[in-house]
Amino acid sequence: MSKAVGLAWLWVMLAIAPALGADLSAEQVHAIVAAAASDRPADLSGKSLENLDLSNFDFRRANLSGANLFGAKLVGADFSGVDLSGAKLDLAWIMRANFTDANLSRSSLLGLVVASGLDYSAAEAPTFRGANFSGAHVLARLARFDLRGADFHGAKMGADMKNQSMGLMRCDLSGSDLAGANFSKADLSLALMRFANLTGANFAGANLSGADLSGADLTGADLTGADATEADFGGAVLTNARGLDTMKGWKPPPGR
């Protein structure tokens, strides 16, 4: 990771202000979750759980809508199918966490900690297959993740242009599996999507201005009405991609 990128993410950590403290201890959360049943889910909605170590917790019977998980350690935790709508996960540690089919709509995911060191490890990667990020604010490194079928409709994933002096902060989806993902009307300005699997993805009405999609596989993708001003599609696979002629600022890569 370059020094500029490191400074950018350091700024994220310093700029995102935490709240006043957790409402519960980790032990109390564990007791509440353990007592839950299929007909009586654990209600943690709106609770502040910031900075707690909740690693390896099974939250599948919990309601976490509007919860504050700022800086929480969620390593190996299971959130599959969980309602996290409107939750705050800024700076949360999510290595090996399972968010399959989780509802993360309108949530905040800024500066997620996705690796124990500077380099990625496949063994530490969380999964977000089928997760709902609609209307969420996502500014994080999500490179090489399983995001198949995820819904990013209307999500805010554009670069923060106000803090370029600290290094440009981009949403990084490089190399991720985003087959069938929905990015309709999402802001992906200056996002990194290099060599991502975007087969069948929906970018209708999305803002892709300045985004880097070089080497990405966009086979069968829908790009109708997207803003591709200064976007990089070099080496991208665009077989059967729809709506290319409707994109704003579209400049076919060499050889097309």
Side-chain angles (χ1 to χ4, degrees), residues 105-117:
S105 60
R106 307 183 312 282
S107 62
S108 179
L109 302 102
L110 309 181
L112 295 172
V113 181
V114 298
S116 55

Side-chain angles (χ1 to χ4, degrees), residues 51-120:
N51 295 316
L52 296 182
D53 189 347
L54 306 173
S55 297
N56 300 310
F57 277 35
D58 185 347
F59 287 102
R60 286 177 294 175
R61 293 194 182 96
N63 176 7
L64 287 157
S65 59
N68 178 11
L69 291 157
F70 175 93
K73 290 188 176 180
L74 309 174
V75 180
D78 192 345
F79 294 97
S80 52
V82 171
D83 186 357
L84 286 152
S85 57
K88 183 174 184 176
L89 289 95
D90 303 343
L91 299 185
W93 298 52
I94 62 168
M95 291 83 81
R96 300 192 307 280
N98 184 2
F99 292 92
T100 299
D101 296 324
N103 181 5
L104 290 153
S105 60
R106 307 183 312 282
S107 62
S108 179
L109 302 102
L110 309 181
L112 295 172
V113 181
V114 298
S116 55
L118 294 179
D119 295 323
Y120 290 110

Side-chain angles (χ1 to χ4, degrees), residues 190-211:
L190 295 169
L192 300 174
M193 307 180 81
R194 295 177 294 212
F195 298 100
N197 178 11
L198 296 164
T199 55
N202 181 7
F203 289 97
N207 180 6
L208 293 168
S209 58

Side-chain angles (χ1 to χ4, degrees), residues 168-245:
L168 185 61
M169 292 166 285
R170 305 186 186 201
C171 191
D172 189 354
L173 296 159
S174 300
S176 287
D177 190 346
L178 289 149
N182 179 19
F183 291 101
S184 59
K185 298 185 178 179
D187 179 7
L188 289 155
S189 54
L190 295 169
L192 300 174
M193 307 180 81
R194 295 177 294 212
F195 298 100
N197 178 11
L198 296 164
T199 55
N202 181 7
F203 289 97
N207 180 6
L208 293 168
S209 58
D212 187 349
L213 295 103
S214 56
D217 188 350
L218 289 145
T219 299
D222 186 356
L223 294 152
T224 304
D227 184 351
T229 304
E230 297 184 354
D232 185 356
F233 285 86
V237 179
L238 294 163
T239 305
N240 296 324
R242 291 168 288 158
L244 295 179
D245 57 346

Side-chain angles (χ1 to χ4, degrees), residues 8-10 35 49 61-62 65 102 144 152 155 173 175 182 192 226 247:
W9 288 107
L10 176 60
L49 309 177
R61 293 194 182 96
S65 59
R144 301 200 292 275
F152 292 94
L173 296 159
N182 179 19
L192 300 174
M247 286 198 294

